Amino acid sequence: MVVGITPGHHVVFPRVVTRHRGWPMSPGGPRLTAVGVLMVLALVGGCGGVTGPSARSASQQPPEAKVETDREPVEKRFPQFGRFTGVEWAAAPLGRADSRAPGPTDVRLSGVAALAKADVRRLVEEYDWAPAEEPPDVLGGIAPRVPAGTAWRTSREFTSEVTRGAYTGEFHLDPAAGLMVFDTVNATPAEGS
């Protein structure tokens, strides 16, 4: 007997297909059917969605990243900061890197930039800054560099202009200290950089 699909779209198996309570069974019987159902459930259950930074469990936190002081990557991504006088930043892949799962890796970029006084004035004048609802949430290596007890301010307009809707990010400004704290996922260089 040949295995295949008949013109009436019925699968023909080399052995007799049994029926149980009116439902066709697989050629291997009820056990093989149960195993097949469990495999499908396992595959579907493994397809989880992406969660934001605050929804990640401790096991999903990015690994500790080396703190960098190179200006160029920050200048290319955030030209709106102006000519900052110093920067400390770190980048880390989100989730667990796995060569068995092809595709892009999301990268979280956090840092603290010391802004020039003229740029602080410009940012305060050009954008509407409101008191931040929460303090900045950054990578572990950057957290000690974020001053506590600061009256952080955020601007939706500034965030929108910087991210251009291409990636997610949060920017906290302390105008008194001249500090900008940033935390982004998949920050891309600005056009023309």
Side-chain angles (χ1 to χ4, degrees), residues 14-174:
R15 20 184 264 170
V16 176
V17 177
T18 60
R19 294 175 69 83
H20 180 70
R21 295 187 186 162
W23 290 95
M25 298 299 290
S26 72
R31 285 190 186 136
L32 193 55
T33 300
V35 169
V37 169
L38 290 174
M39 287 178 63
V40 169
L41 289 175
L43 287 171
V44 173
C47 299
V50 176
T51 58
S54 61
R56 288 192 301 268
S57 69
S59 66
Q60 294 174 314
Q61 290 295 324
E64 195 62 36
K66 179 182 174 205
V67 175
E68 305 280 352
T69 57
D70 182 16
R71 301 171 56 90
E72 185 180 3
V74 177
E75 288 173 333
K76 284 185 173 184
R77 284 160 179 78
F78 314 120
Q80 294 85 351
F81 290 2
R83 297 196 44 81
F84 48 87
T85 59
V87 66
E88 291 181 288
W89 59 273
L94 295 179
R96 295 189 179 127
D98 188 345
S99 63
R100 297 175 295 167
T105 300
D106 292 330
V107 177
R108 185 174 178 191
L109 173 67
S110 296
V112 179
L115 306 179
K117 289 181 182 182
D119 288 315
V120 172
R121 280 192 301 275
R122 175 184 54 80
L123 291 172
V124 169
E125 291 171 6
E126 289 181 9
Y127 301 97
D128 183 28
W129 296 89
E133 294 178 14
E134 296 180 15
D137 178 25
V138 295
L139 288 169
I142 296 299
R145 293 157 171 81
V146 177
T150 302
W152 295 107
R153 305 186 68 75
T154 59
S155 169
R156 286 185 181 161
E157 180 186 12
F158 179 78
T159 299
S160 177
E161 184 176 313
V162 174
T163 64
R164 306 168 313 279
Y167 59 90
T168 59
E170 292 183 3
F171 301 88
H172 288 74
L173 175 67
D174 175 3

